[in-house]
Amino acid sequence: MAKPIYILNGPNLNLLGTREPEIYGADTLRDIESACEETASRAGYDIVFKQSNIEGELVDMIQEARESACALIINPAAYTHTSVALHDALKTLDIPSVEIHLSQPAKRESFRRRSYVAEAVTGTISGFGANSYQLGLQAAIKLL
Ligand code: DQA
């Protein structure tokens, strides 16, 4: 049995559905998880889907993925723009890794233009709403 694909979510993404829906859409994180489960299972993979508001917990999840995952997808949310710790943890991976965003940070406030994560992952997908998760999953599966 193949190892699962880890899908990690950073701070405030637990509020999707009610948080700034004009930017992030109406889907809840649970809706997104179900859609990911379906896409992954059609390709023969299980997923492990997690969310944390705490930077160190996300570092722990990435370290767990080093051993337990075949690929990693991460929406680091606000930590994208601040976290050297997530950058360093992602650099330790030798599995495919995809940074995803619902919105297109490059079109928003200037503080969102810097991603510490982009320099440490295989590739980035952003701006497609909840569909960014599907596209990220497809990109990871193609690399497996
Ligand atoms: C986000 C974009 C980030 O800039 C923001 O802090 C988020 C969500 C996105 O998915 O569009 O919380 O990662």
Side-chain angles (χ1 to χ4, degrees), residues 9 12 19 33 35 50 59 63 79 82 85 88 129-131 139 144:
N9 296 278
N12 301 306
R19 173 192 179 206
E33 179 176 0
K50 300 187 192 214
V59 170
Q63 290 188 9
Y79 290 137
T82 62
D88 285 350
N131 204 28
L144 294 172

Side-chain angles (χ1 to χ4, degrees), residues 11-13 19 23-24 75-81 100-105 108 112 133:
N12 301 306
L13 294 174
R19 173 192 179 206
I23 297 176
Y24 298 117
N75 183 348
Y79 290 137
T80 308
H81 317 297
I100 55 164
H101 300 283
L102 297 142
S103 68
Q104 171 61 299
R108 300 179 60 196
R112 294 187 204 275
Y133 283 77

Side-chain angles (χ1 to χ4, degrees), residues 98-106 123-129 132 135:
V98 186
E99 172 190 6
I100 55 164
H101 300 283
L102 297 142
S103 68
Q104 171 61 299
T124 301
I125 291 168
S126 60
F128 297 97
S132 291
L135 296 169

